[in-house]
Short mmCIF file of all heavy atoms in Angstrom, two decimals:
data_model
loop_
_atom_site.label_atom_id
_atom_site.label_comp_id
_atom_site.label_asym_id
_atom_site.label_seq_id
_atom_site.Cartn_x
_atom_site.Cartn_y
_atom_site.Cartn_z
N MET A 1 0.85 -1.17 0.00
CA MET A 1 0.00 0.00 0.00
C MET A 1 0.90 1.24 0.00
O MET A 1 1.96 1.25 0.60
CB MET A 1 -0.90 -0.04 1.23
CG MET A 1 -1.92 1.06 1.21
SD MET A 1 -3.39 0.81 2.24
CE MET A 1 -2.71 0.42 3.80
N GLY A 2 0.43 2.26 -0.66
CA GLY A 2 1.23 3.47 -0.81
C GLY A 2 1.11 4.43 0.36
O GLY A 2 0.52 4.11 1.40
N SER A 3 1.67 5.60 0.15
CA SER A 3 1.63 6.62 1.20
C SER A 3 1.66 8.01 0.56
O SER A 3 2.03 8.17 -0.61
CB SER A 3 2.82 6.47 2.14
OG SER A 3 4.03 6.69 1.42
N THR A 4 1.26 8.99 1.33
CA THR A 4 1.32 10.37 0.86
C THR A 4 2.56 11.03 1.44
O THR A 4 2.97 10.72 2.56
CB THR A 4 0.06 11.17 1.29
OG1 THR A 4 -0.09 11.11 2.69
CG2 THR A 4 -1.18 10.64 0.61
N THR A 5 3.14 11.89 0.65
CA THR A 5 4.29 12.66 1.10
C THR A 5 4.11 14.10 0.68
O THR A 5 3.42 14.40 -0.29
CB THR A 5 5.62 12.12 0.51
OG1 THR A 5 5.50 12.10 -0.92
CG2 THR A 5 5.95 10.75 1.00
N ILE A 6 4.75 14.98 1.43
CA ILE A 6 4.72 16.40 1.10
C ILE A 6 6.14 16.82 0.76
O ILE A 6 7.08 16.55 1.50
CB ILE A 6 4.19 17.24 2.27
CG1 ILE A 6 2.72 16.88 2.53
CG2 ILE A 6 4.34 18.72 1.99
CD1 ILE A 6 2.11 17.55 3.73
N LYS A 7 6.28 17.43 -0.41
CA LYS A 7 7.58 17.93 -0.85
C LYS A 7 7.52 19.44 -0.91
O LYS A 7 6.56 20.02 -1.42
CB LYS A 7 7.93 17.37 -2.23
CG LYS A 7 8.08 15.87 -2.25
CD LYS A 7 8.44 15.37 -3.64
CE LYS A 7 8.52 13.86 -3.65
NZ LYS A 7 8.84 13.34 -4.99
N LYS A 8 8.54 20.07 -0.36
CA LYS A 8 8.61 21.52 -0.36
C LYS A 8 9.50 21.98 -1.51
O LYS A 8 10.66 21.57 -1.60
CB LYS A 8 9.16 22.03 0.97
CG LYS A 8 8.92 23.50 1.20
CD LYS A 8 9.25 23.87 2.65
CE LYS A 8 8.78 25.28 2.93
NZ LYS A 8 8.95 25.62 4.33
N VAL A 9 8.94 22.80 -2.39
CA VAL A 9 9.67 23.31 -3.55
C VAL A 9 9.45 24.82 -3.62
O VAL A 9 8.30 25.28 -3.69
CB VAL A 9 9.17 22.65 -4.87
CG1 VAL A 9 9.93 23.20 -6.07
CG2 VAL A 9 9.29 21.13 -4.79
N ARG A 10 10.55 25.56 -3.54
CA ARG A 10 10.51 27.03 -3.60
C ARG A 10 9.49 27.63 -2.63
O ARG A 10 8.70 28.51 -2.99
CB ARG A 10 10.23 27.49 -5.02
CG ARG A 10 11.33 27.13 -5.98
CD ARG A 10 11.11 27.74 -7.34
NE ARG A 10 11.90 27.01 -8.31
CZ ARG A 10 11.44 26.55 -9.46
NH1 ARG A 10 10.19 26.77 -9.80
NH2 ARG A 10 12.21 25.89 -10.27
N GLY A 11 9.46 27.09 -1.43
CA GLY A 11 8.60 27.63 -0.38
C GLY A 11 7.17 27.14 -0.39
O GLY A 11 6.39 27.47 0.49
N LYS A 12 6.79 26.35 -1.39
CA LYS A 12 5.42 25.81 -1.44
C LYS A 12 5.46 24.31 -1.17
O LYS A 12 6.42 23.62 -1.54
CB LYS A 12 4.78 26.06 -2.80
CG LYS A 12 4.48 27.52 -3.06
CD LYS A 12 3.71 27.69 -4.35
CE LYS A 12 3.41 29.16 -4.59
NZ LYS A 12 2.64 29.35 -5.82
N GLU A 13 4.42 23.81 -0.52
CA GLU A 13 4.33 22.39 -0.20
C GLU A 13 3.36 21.71 -1.15
O GLU A 13 2.23 22.17 -1.36
CB GLU A 13 3.89 22.19 1.24
CG GLU A 13 4.91 22.69 2.24
CD GLU A 13 4.51 22.44 3.68
OE1 GLU A 13 3.29 22.35 3.96
OE2 GLU A 13 5.41 22.33 4.52
N TYR A 14 3.83 20.58 -1.72
CA TYR A 14 3.04 19.82 -2.68
C TYR A 14 2.81 18.41 -2.17
O TYR A 14 3.70 17.80 -1.59
CB TYR A 14 3.76 19.77 -4.03
CG TYR A 14 3.96 21.13 -4.64
CD1 TYR A 14 5.14 21.83 -4.45
CD2 TYR A 14 2.96 21.73 -5.40
CE1 TYR A 14 5.33 23.09 -5.00
CE2 TYR A 14 3.13 22.99 -5.94
CZ TYR A 14 4.32 23.66 -5.74
OH TYR A 14 4.50 24.91 -6.28
N LEU A 15 1.62 17.89 -2.42
CA LEU A 15 1.23 16.55 -1.96
C LEU A 15 1.43 15.55 -3.09
O LEU A 15 1.04 15.81 -4.25
CB LEU A 15 -0.24 16.56 -1.52
CG LEU A 15 -0.81 15.26 -0.99
CD1 LEU A 15 -0.12 14.88 0.32
CD2 LEU A 15 -2.31 15.39 -0.77
N TYR A 16 2.04 14.40 -2.76
CA TYR A 16 2.25 13.32 -3.71
C TYR A 16 1.74 12.02 -3.10
O TYR A 16 1.82 11.82 -1.90
CB TYR A 16 3.73 13.14 -4.03
CG TYR A 16 4.31 14.22 -4.89
CD1 TYR A 16 4.73 15.43 -4.35
CD2 TYR A 16 4.44 14.05 -6.26
CE1 TYR A 16 5.25 16.44 -5.15
CE2 TYR A 16 4.97 15.04 -7.07
CZ TYR A 16 5.37 16.22 -6.50
OH TYR A 16 5.90 17.23 -7.30
N TYR A 17 1.23 11.15 -3.95
CA TYR A 17 0.91 9.78 -3.54
C TYR A 17 1.93 8.86 -4.18
O TYR A 17 2.12 8.90 -5.39
CB TYR A 17 -0.51 9.38 -3.96
CG TYR A 17 -0.86 7.99 -3.51
CD1 TYR A 17 -1.19 7.76 -2.18
CD2 TYR A 17 -0.80 6.91 -4.37
CE1 TYR A 17 -1.46 6.48 -1.74
CE2 TYR A 17 -1.08 5.63 -3.93
CZ TYR A 17 -1.40 5.43 -2.62
OH TYR A 17 -1.66 4.15 -2.17
N SER A 18 2.60 8.04 -3.37
CA SER A 18 3.66 7.16 -3.86
C SER A 18 3.39 5.72 -3.49
O SER A 18 2.86 5.42 -2.42
CB SER A 18 5.01 7.58 -3.26
OG SER A 18 5.30 8.92 -3.57
N TYR A 19 3.78 4.82 -4.41
CA TYR A 19 3.68 3.38 -4.17
C TYR A 19 4.70 2.67 -5.05
O TYR A 19 5.32 3.29 -5.92
CB TYR A 19 2.26 2.87 -4.45
CG TYR A 19 1.84 3.00 -5.90
CD1 TYR A 19 1.95 1.94 -6.78
CD2 TYR A 19 1.34 4.21 -6.39
CE1 TYR A 19 1.57 2.05 -8.10
CE2 TYR A 19 0.96 4.34 -7.71
CZ TYR A 19 1.07 3.26 -8.56
OH TYR A 19 0.70 3.39 -9.89
N TYR A 20 4.87 1.39 -4.81
CA TYR A 20 5.81 0.60 -5.59
C TYR A 20 5.05 -0.34 -6.52
O TYR A 20 4.07 -0.97 -6.12
CB TYR A 20 6.74 -0.21 -4.69
CG TYR A 20 7.79 0.65 -4.04
CD1 TYR A 20 7.56 1.27 -2.82
CD2 TYR A 20 9.01 0.86 -4.66
CE1 TYR A 20 8.51 2.08 -2.23
CE2 TYR A 20 9.98 1.67 -4.09
CZ TYR A 20 9.72 2.28 -2.87
OH TYR A 20 10.66 3.08 -2.30
N ASP A 21 5.52 -0.42 -7.76
CA ASP A 21 4.94 -1.32 -8.75
C ASP A 21 6.09 -2.10 -9.40
O ASP A 21 6.93 -1.50 -10.07
CB ASP A 21 4.16 -0.52 -9.80
CG ASP A 21 3.43 -1.39 -10.79
OD1 ASP A 21 3.25 -2.59 -10.51
OD2 ASP A 21 3.03 -0.88 -11.85
N ASN A 22 6.13 -3.40 -9.15
CA ASN A 22 7.22 -4.25 -9.66
C ASN A 22 8.58 -3.71 -9.25
O ASN A 22 9.51 -3.66 -10.07
CB ASN A 22 7.13 -4.41 -11.18
CG ASN A 22 5.92 -5.21 -11.60
OD1 ASN A 22 5.52 -6.14 -10.91
ND2 ASN A 22 5.33 -4.85 -12.72
N GLY A 23 8.72 -3.25 -8.02
CA GLY A 23 9.99 -2.77 -7.51
C GLY A 23 10.33 -1.35 -7.90
O GLY A 23 11.36 -0.83 -7.51
N LYS A 24 9.49 -0.72 -8.69
CA LYS A 24 9.74 0.65 -9.14
C LYS A 24 8.82 1.62 -8.39
O LYS A 24 7.62 1.40 -8.28
CB LYS A 24 9.46 0.75 -10.65
CG LYS A 24 9.73 2.11 -11.22
CD LYS A 24 9.44 2.13 -12.72
CE LYS A 24 9.65 3.53 -13.25
NZ LYS A 24 9.21 3.66 -14.65
N LYS A 25 9.40 2.69 -7.85
CA LYS A 25 8.62 3.66 -7.11
C LYS A 25 7.88 4.57 -8.09
O LYS A 25 8.46 5.16 -8.99
CB LYS A 25 9.51 4.50 -6.20
CG LYS A 25 8.72 5.44 -5.31
CD LYS A 25 9.63 6.17 -4.34
CE LYS A 25 8.81 7.09 -3.44
NZ LYS A 25 9.65 7.79 -2.48
N ILE A 26 6.57 4.69 -7.85
CA ILE A 26 5.72 5.55 -8.66
C ILE A 26 5.21 6.67 -7.74
O ILE A 26 4.63 6.40 -6.70
CB ILE A 26 4.50 4.79 -9.21
CG1 ILE A 26 4.93 3.50 -9.93
CG2 ILE A 26 3.64 5.68 -10.09
CD1 ILE A 26 5.69 3.70 -11.19
N SER A 27 5.45 7.93 -8.12
CA SER A 27 4.95 9.07 -7.37
C SER A 27 4.02 9.88 -8.26
O SER A 27 4.38 10.24 -9.38
CB SER A 27 6.10 9.97 -6.90
OG SER A 27 6.86 9.31 -5.93
N SER A 28 2.83 10.14 -7.76
CA SER A 28 1.84 10.89 -8.52
C SER A 28 1.55 12.22 -7.84
O SER A 28 1.26 12.26 -6.64
CB SER A 28 0.55 10.08 -8.63
OG SER A 28 0.79 8.85 -9.27
N TYR A 29 1.62 13.27 -8.61
CA TYR A 29 1.37 14.61 -8.09
C TYR A 29 -0.13 14.78 -7.83
O TYR A 29 -0.96 14.45 -8.66
CB TYR A 29 1.84 15.63 -9.13
CG TYR A 29 1.47 17.06 -8.81
CD1 TYR A 29 2.14 17.75 -7.82
CD2 TYR A 29 0.46 17.70 -9.51
CE1 TYR A 29 1.80 19.06 -7.53
CE2 TYR A 29 0.11 19.02 -9.23
CZ TYR A 29 0.79 19.69 -8.24
OH TYR A 29 0.46 20.98 -7.95
N CYS A 30 -0.45 15.33 -6.65
CA CYS A 30 -1.85 15.53 -6.28
C CYS A 30 -2.24 17.00 -6.21
O CYS A 30 -3.42 17.32 -6.32
CB CYS A 30 -2.13 14.88 -4.92
SG CYS A 30 -1.82 13.10 -4.92
N GLY A 31 -1.30 17.89 -6.01
CA GLY A 31 -1.60 19.32 -5.93
C GLY A 31 -0.96 19.94 -4.69
O GLY A 31 -0.14 19.34 -4.01
N LEU A 32 -1.37 21.18 -4.43
CA LEU A 32 -0.85 21.89 -3.27
C LEU A 32 -1.32 21.21 -1.98
O LEU A 32 -2.50 20.87 -1.84
CB LEU A 32 -1.31 23.34 -3.27
CG LEU A 32 -0.66 24.26 -4.31
CD1 LEU A 32 -1.37 25.61 -4.35
CD2 LEU A 32 0.82 24.45 -3.98
N ALA A 33 -0.39 21.02 -1.05
CA ALA A 33 -0.74 20.41 0.24
C ALA A 33 -1.71 21.32 0.97
O ALA A 33 -1.62 22.54 0.89
CB ALA A 33 0.51 20.18 1.07
N GLY A 34 -2.65 20.74 1.66
CA GLY A 34 -3.61 21.51 2.43
C GLY A 34 -4.89 21.80 1.69
O GLY A 34 -5.89 22.19 2.29
N LYS A 35 -4.92 21.61 0.38
CA LYS A 35 -6.14 21.83 -0.38
C LYS A 35 -6.96 20.54 -0.40
O LYS A 35 -6.42 19.46 -0.63
CB LYS A 35 -5.83 22.25 -1.82
CG LYS A 35 -5.32 23.66 -1.94
CD LYS A 35 -5.46 24.13 -3.36
CE LYS A 35 -5.22 25.63 -3.43
NZ LYS A 35 -5.59 26.15 -4.73
N PRO A 36 -8.27 20.66 -0.19
CA PRO A 36 -9.12 19.46 -0.19
C PRO A 36 -9.06 18.68 -1.51
O PRO A 36 -9.12 17.45 -1.51
CB PRO A 36 -10.53 20.01 0.04
CG PRO A 36 -10.32 21.34 0.68
CD PRO A 36 -9.02 21.86 0.16
N GLU A 37 -8.91 19.39 -2.62
CA GLU A 37 -8.84 18.72 -3.92
C GLU A 37 -7.61 17.81 -4.01
O GLU A 37 -7.65 16.74 -4.63
CB GLU A 37 -8.80 19.73 -5.08
CG GLU A 37 -9.95 20.69 -5.13
CD GLU A 37 -9.73 21.95 -4.27
OE1 GLU A 37 -8.57 22.39 -4.10
OE2 GLU A 37 -10.72 22.47 -3.75
N SER A 38 -6.53 18.25 -3.40
CA SER A 38 -5.30 17.46 -3.42
C SER A 38 -5.47 16.18 -2.62
O SER A 38 -5.04 15.10 -3.05
CB SER A 38 -4.14 18.29 -2.86
OG SER A 38 -3.96 19.46 -3.61
N SER A 39 -6.10 16.29 -1.45
CA SER A 39 -6.35 15.10 -0.64
C SER A 39 -7.27 14.14 -1.36
O SER A 39 -7.04 12.92 -1.36
CB SER A 39 -6.98 15.49 0.70
OG SER A 39 -6.08 16.24 1.46
N ARG A 40 -8.27 14.68 -2.02
CA ARG A 40 -9.21 13.84 -2.78
C ARG A 40 -8.48 13.08 -3.88
O ARG A 40 -8.70 11.88 -4.09
CB ARG A 40 -10.33 14.69 -3.36
CG ARG A 40 -11.32 13.90 -4.17
CD ARG A 40 -12.33 14.82 -4.86
NE ARG A 40 -13.11 14.09 -5.81
CZ ARG A 40 -14.34 13.68 -5.60
NH1 ARG A 40 -14.95 13.95 -4.48
NH2 ARG A 40 -14.98 13.01 -6.55
N LYS A 41 -7.60 13.77 -4.57
CA LYS A 41 -6.84 13.13 -5.65
C LYS A 41 -5.95 12.02 -5.09
O LYS A 41 -5.83 10.94 -5.69
CB LYS A 41 -5.99 14.17 -6.38
CG LYS A 41 -5.57 13.74 -7.75
CD LYS A 41 -5.06 14.94 -8.53
CE LYS A 41 -4.95 14.59 -9.99
NZ LYS A 41 -4.56 15.70 -10.81
N ALA A 42 -5.33 12.25 -3.93
CA ALA A 42 -4.51 11.22 -3.30
C ALA A 42 -5.36 10.00 -2.95
O ALA A 42 -4.93 8.85 -3.15
CB ALA A 42 -3.82 11.77 -2.05
N TYR A 43 -6.57 10.22 -2.44
CA TYR A 43 -7.48 9.11 -2.13
C TYR A 43 -7.83 8.33 -3.39
O TYR A 43 -7.90 7.10 -3.39
CB TYR A 43 -8.75 9.60 -1.46
CG TYR A 43 -8.56 10.24 -0.11
CD1 TYR A 43 -9.34 11.34 0.27
CD2 TYR A 43 -7.60 9.79 0.79
CE1 TYR A 43 -9.17 11.95 1.50
CE2 TYR A 43 -7.43 10.40 2.03
CZ TYR A 43 -8.23 11.47 2.38
OH TYR A 43 -8.07 12.07 3.61
N GLU A 44 -8.05 9.05 -4.49
CA GLU A 44 -8.38 8.40 -5.74
C GLU A 44 -7.22 7.54 -6.25
O GLU A 44 -7.43 6.42 -6.72
CB GLU A 44 -8.78 9.43 -6.79
CG GLU A 44 -10.11 10.08 -6.51
CD GLU A 44 -10.45 11.25 -7.42
OE1 GLU A 44 -9.58 11.66 -8.23
OE2 GLU A 44 -11.58 11.74 -7.33
N TYR A 45 -6.00 8.05 -6.14
CA TYR A 45 -4.82 7.27 -6.52
C TYR A 45 -4.71 6.02 -5.66
O TYR A 45 -4.39 4.93 -6.16
CB TYR A 45 -3.53 8.09 -6.40
CG TYR A 45 -3.31 9.08 -7.52
CD1 TYR A 45 -3.00 10.40 -7.25
CD2 TYR A 45 -3.38 8.69 -8.86
CE1 TYR A 45 -2.77 11.32 -8.28
CE2 TYR A 45 -3.16 9.59 -9.89
CZ TYR A 45 -2.86 10.90 -9.60
OH TYR A 45 -2.64 11.79 -10.61
N GLU A 46 -4.96 6.15 -4.37
CA GLU A 46 -4.89 4.99 -3.48
C GLU A 46 -5.95 3.96 -3.85
O GLU A 46 -5.69 2.75 -3.86
CB GLU A 46 -5.05 5.40 -2.02
CG GLU A 46 -4.88 4.25 -1.06
CD GLU A 46 -4.89 4.66 0.39
OE1 GLU A 46 -5.14 5.85 0.70
OE2 GLU A 46 -4.66 3.78 1.24
N MET A 47 -7.16 4.43 -4.17
CA MET A 47 -8.22 3.50 -4.57
C MET A 47 -7.84 2.75 -5.84
O MET A 47 -8.08 1.53 -5.95
CB MET A 47 -9.54 4.25 -4.77
CG MET A 47 -10.21 4.63 -3.47
SD MET A 47 -11.77 5.48 -3.70
CE MET A 47 -12.74 4.23 -4.49
N GLU A 48 -7.25 3.43 -6.80
CA GLU A 48 -6.79 2.77 -8.03
C GLU A 48 -5.77 1.69 -7.73
O GLU A 48 -5.85 0.58 -8.25
CB GLU A 48 -6.16 3.80 -8.98
CG GLU A 48 -7.13 4.69 -9.70
CD GLU A 48 -6.41 5.69 -10.59
OE1 GLU A 48 -5.31 5.39 -11.10
OE2 GLU A 48 -6.96 6.79 -10.78
N GLU A 49 -4.80 2.04 -6.88
CA GLU A 49 -3.76 1.08 -6.53
C GLU A 49 -4.35 -0.14 -5.83
O GLU A 49 -4.02 -1.28 -6.15
CB GLU A 49 -2.71 1.74 -5.64
CG GLU A 49 -1.60 0.79 -5.27
CD GLU A 49 -0.93 1.13 -3.95
OE1 GLU A 49 -1.29 2.13 -3.32
OE2 GLU A 49 -0.04 0.37 -3.57
N LEU A 50 -5.24 0.08 -4.87
CA LEU A 50 -5.83 -1.03 -4.13
C LEU A 50 -6.72 -1.89 -5.02
O LEU A 50 -6.76 -3.12 -4.86
CB LEU A 50 -6.63 -0.49 -2.93
CG LEU A 50 -5.79 0.11 -1.82
CD1 LEU A 50 -6.69 0.78 -0.78
CD2 LEU A 50 -4.90 -0.92 -1.17
N THR A 51 -7.40 -1.28 -5.97
CA THR A 51 -8.22 -2.04 -6.91
C THR A 51 -7.36 -2.95 -7.77
O THR A 51 -7.71 -4.12 -7.99
CB THR A 51 -9.04 -1.07 -7.80
OG1 THR A 51 -9.88 -0.28 -6.96
CG2 THR A 51 -9.90 -1.84 -8.79
N LYS A 52 -6.22 -2.45 -8.23
CA LYS A 52 -5.30 -3.28 -9.01
C LYS A 52 -4.79 -4.45 -8.15
O LYS A 52 -4.71 -5.59 -8.64
CB LYS A 52 -4.10 -2.46 -9.49
CG LYS A 52 -4.45 -1.50 -10.60
CD LYS A 52 -3.22 -0.69 -10.99
CE LYS A 52 -3.56 0.43 -11.95
NZ LYS A 52 -2.39 1.27 -12.26
N GLN A 53 -4.43 -4.18 -6.90
CA GLN A 53 -3.96 -5.23 -6.01
C GLN A 53 -5.04 -6.29 -5.79
O GLN A 53 -4.77 -7.48 -5.79
CB GLN A 53 -3.52 -4.65 -4.67
CG GLN A 53 -2.24 -3.88 -4.73
CD GLN A 53 -1.86 -3.33 -3.36
OE1 GLN A 53 -2.44 -3.65 -2.34
NE2 GLN A 53 -0.86 -2.46 -3.35
N LYS A 54 -6.27 -5.83 -5.63
CA LYS A 54 -7.39 -6.74 -5.40
C LYS A 54 -7.57 -7.66 -6.61
O LYS A 54 -7.77 -8.87 -6.44
CB LYS A 54 -8.67 -5.95 -5.15
CG LYS A 54 -9.88 -6.81 -4.93
CD LYS A 54 -11.12 -5.97 -4.75
CE LYS A 54 -12.37 -6.83 -4.70
NZ LYS A 54 -13.59 -6.02 -4.63
N GLN A 55 -7.48 -7.11 -7.81
CA GLN A 55 -7.63 -7.91 -9.02
C GLN A 55 -6.53 -8.98 -9.10
O GLN A 55 -6.80 -10.13 -9.46
CB GLN A 55 -7.60 -7.03 -10.26
CG GLN A 55 -8.82 -6.15 -10.39
CD GLN A 55 -8.68 -5.09 -11.48
OE1 GLN A 55 -7.60 -4.84 -11.98
NE2 GLN A 55 -9.80 -4.46 -11.82
N LEU A 56 -5.31 -8.60 -8.76
CA LEU A 56 -4.20 -9.56 -8.77
C LEU A 56 -4.41 -10.66 -7.73
O LEU A 56 -4.14 -11.84 -7.99
CB LEU A 56 -2.87 -8.85 -8.53
CG LEU A 56 -2.39 -7.94 -9.64
CD1 LEU A 56 -1.14 -7.16 -9.19
CD2 LEU A 56 -2.08 -8.74 -10.89
N ILE A 57 -4.90 -10.28 -6.57
CA ILE A 57 -5.14 -11.26 -5.50
C ILE A 57 -6.25 -12.23 -5.90
O ILE A 57 -6.12 -13.44 -5.73
CB ILE A 57 -5.48 -10.55 -4.17
CG1 ILE A 57 -4.23 -9.86 -3.63
CG2 ILE A 57 -6.06 -11.54 -3.16
CD1 ILE A 57 -4.50 -8.91 -2.47
N VAL A 58 -7.34 -11.72 -6.47
CA VAL A 58 -8.45 -12.57 -6.90
C VAL A 58 -7.97 -13.56 -7.98
O VAL A 58 -8.29 -14.75 -7.94
CB VAL A 58 -9.63 -11.72 -7.42
CG1 VAL A 58 -10.65 -12.56 -8.15
CG2 VAL A 58 -10.28 -10.98 -6.26
N LYS A 59 -7.16 -13.07 -8.91
CA LYS A 59 -6.62 -13.92 -9.97
C LYS A 59 -5.73 -15.02 -9.38
O LYS A 59 -5.82 -16.19 -9.77
CB LYS A 59 -5.81 -13.06 -10.94
CG LYS A 59 -5.70 -13.61 -12.32
CD LYS A 59 -4.85 -12.69 -13.18
CE LYS A 59 -5.73 -11.90 -14.12
NZ LYS A 59 -4.93 -11.15 -15.11
N ARG A 60 -4.87 -14.65 -8.44
CA ARG A 60 -3.96 -15.62 -7.81
C ARG A 60 -4.74 -16.65 -6.99
O ARG A 60 -4.40 -17.84 -7.01
CB ARG A 60 -2.95 -14.88 -6.92
CG ARG A 60 -1.95 -15.79 -6.26
CD ARG A 60 -1.04 -16.46 -7.25
NE ARG A 60 -0.08 -17.32 -6.56
CZ ARG A 60 0.45 -18.40 -7.06
NH1 ARG A 60 0.19 -18.75 -8.29
NH2 ARG A 60 1.28 -19.12 -6.35
N LEU A 61 -5.79 -16.21 -6.28
CA LEU A 61 -6.61 -17.15 -5.52
C LEU A 61 -7.29 -18.17 -6.44
O LEU A 61 -7.37 -19.35 -6.10
CB LEU A 61 -7.66 -16.40 -4.70
CG LEU A 61 -7.13 -15.67 -3.46
CD1 LEU A 61 -8.22 -14.76 -2.88
CD2 LEU A 61 -6.65 -16.65 -2.42
N ALA A 62 -7.76 -17.71 -7.58
CA ALA A 62 -8.39 -18.62 -8.54
C ALA A 62 -7.39 -19.66 -9.04
O ALA A 62 -7.69 -20.85 -9.15
CB ALA A 62 -8.98 -17.83 -9.71
N THR A 63 -6.17 -19.21 -9.34
CA THR A 63 -5.12 -20.12 -9.80
C THR A 63 -4.79 -21.16 -8.73
O THR A 63 -4.69 -22.36 -9.02
CB THR A 63 -3.85 -19.32 -10.16
OG1 THR A 63 -4.17 -18.38 -11.18
CG2 THR A 63 -2.75 -20.24 -10.64
N LEU A 64 -4.65 -20.71 -7.50
CA LEU A 64 -4.33 -21.64 -6.40
C LEU A 64 -5.47 -22.63 -6.16
O LEU A 64 -5.22 -23.80 -5.88
CB LEU A 64 -4.01 -20.86 -5.13
CG LEU A 64 -2.70 -20.09 -5.14
CD1 LEU A 64 -2.59 -19.21 -3.90
CD2 LEU A 64 -1.51 -21.02 -5.23
N THR A 65 -6.70 -22.17 -6.27
CA THR A 65 -7.85 -23.04 -6.09
C THR A 65 -7.83 -24.16 -7.12
O THR A 65 -8.06 -25.33 -6.80
CB THR A 65 -9.17 -22.24 -6.18
OG1 THR A 65 -9.16 -21.25 -5.16
CG2 THR A 65 -10.37 -23.14 -6.00
N LYS A 66 -7.52 -23.81 -8.38
CA LYS A 66 -7.45 -24.81 -9.44
C LYS A 66 -6.33 -25.81 -9.16
O LYS A 66 -6.49 -27.02 -9.36
CB LYS A 66 -7.23 -24.15 -10.79
CG LYS A 66 -8.45 -23.46 -11.33
CD LYS A 66 -8.15 -22.79 -12.68
CE LYS A 66 -9.34 -21.97 -13.13
NZ LYS A 66 -9.05 -21.26 -14.39
N LYS A 67 -5.20 -25.33 -8.70
CA LYS A 67 -4.06 -26.20 -8.41
C LYS A 67 -4.41 -27.17 -7.28
O LYS A 67 -4.04 -28.34 -7.31
CB LYS A 67 -2.82 -25.39 -8.06
CG LYS A 67 -2.21 -24.73 -9.27
CD LYS A 67 -0.96 -23.96 -8.90
CE LYS A 67 -0.33 -23.34 -10.14
NZ LYS A 67 0.97 -22.73 -9.88
N ILE A 68 -5.11 -26.68 -6.25
CA ILE A 68 -5.49 -27.52 -5.13
C ILE A 68 -6.45 -28.60 -5.60
O ILE A 68 -6.34 -29.77 -5.21
CB ILE A 68 -6.11 -26.67 -3.99
CG1 ILE A 68 -5.02 -25.85 -3.31
CG2 ILE A 68 -6.83 -27.56 -2.97
CD1 ILE A 68 -5.53 -24.82 -2.34
N GLN A 69 -7.38 -28.23 -6.46
CA GLN A 69 -8.35 -29.20 -6.97
C GLN A 69 -7.65 -30.28 -7.79
O GLN A 69 -8.05 -31.44 -7.74
CB GLN A 69 -9.43 -28.50 -7.79
CG GLN A 69 -10.34 -27.63 -6.96
CD GLN A 69 -11.27 -26.76 -7.79
OE1 GLN A 69 -11.10 -26.63 -9.00
NE2 GLN A 69 -12.25 -26.17 -7.14
N CYS A 70 -6.64 -29.91 -8.55
CA CYS A 70 -5.89 -30.90 -9.37
C CYS A 70 -5.14 -31.87 -8.47
O CYS A 70 -5.03 -33.04 -8.78
CB CYS A 70 -4.91 -30.18 -10.29
SG CYS A 70 -5.73 -29.31 -11.64
N VAL A 71 -4.60 -31.37 -7.38
CA VAL A 71 -3.84 -32.22 -6.46
C VAL A 71 -4.76 -33.18 -5.72
O VAL A 71 -4.41 -34.33 -5.49
CB VAL A 71 -3.04 -31.35 -5.46
CG1 VAL A 71 -2.40 -32.20 -4.38
CG2 VAL A 71 -1.99 -30.53 -6.18
N ASP A 72 -5.97 -32.72 -5.38
CA ASP A 72 -6.91 -33.55 -4.63
C ASP A 72 -7.51 -34.67 -5.47
O ASP A 72 -8.01 -35.64 -4.93
CB ASP A 72 -8.05 -32.70 -4.06
CG ASP A 72 -7.57 -31.81 -2.91
OD1 ASP A 72 -6.48 -32.08 -2.35
OD2 ASP A 72 -8.27 -30.84 -2.58
N THR A 73 -7.47 -34.55 -6.79
CA THR A 73 -8.11 -35.60 -7.62
C THR A 73 -7.13 -36.64 -8.08
O THR A 73 -5.99 -36.65 -7.95
CB THR A 73 -8.77 -34.98 -8.87
OG1 THR A 73 -7.81 -34.23 -9.60
CG2 THR A 73 -9.93 -34.12 -8.45
#
């Protein structure tokens, strides 16, 4: 699961949502820190990331279920 970070550039603070994908760090710009729109964007990025993880988990569970059934027969 990712996290939010605040980076200060030329006296202004910016919000980023960061996570790892296949060992590579992905940082997405959300906007000025402290603005509600920026927080909302960070939440949306997190939801996207978690949805992708969920799809991978469901796919892996299906694969394992099939493997278990093959072993049991």
Side-chain angles (χ1 to χ4, degrees):
M1 187 159 51
S3 63
T4 56
T5 55
I6 295 175
K7 296 181 183 179
K8 195 169 190 174
V9 180
R10 295 187 200 131
K12 291 187 179 181
E13 294 183 334
Y14 298 94
L15 182 66
Y16 288 83
Y17 181 77
S18 302
Y19 64 97
Y20 285 89
D21 185 16
N22 292 325
K24 182 180 177 187
K25 185 175 181 179
I26 308 293
S27 292
S28 301
Y29 172 75
C30 300
L32 288 171
K35 286 198 168 191
E37 303 87 31
S38 301
S39 294
R40 179 186 169 102
K41 200 165 194 176
Y43 296 144
E44 290 172 353
Y45 283 130
E46 184 174 6
M47 285 181 63
E48 285 178 30
E49 181 207 358
L50 291 172
T51 300
K52 287 177 189 177
Q53 288 180 10
K54 179 182 173 184
Q55 291 170 347
L56 291 173
I57 290 169
V58 167
K59 205 181 256 188
R60 182 66 180 151
L61 286 170
T63 301
L64 290 172
T65 300
K66 286 179 186 177
K67 287 182 178 187
I68 288 170
Q69 291 171 348
C70 288
V71 172
D72 288 343
T73 56

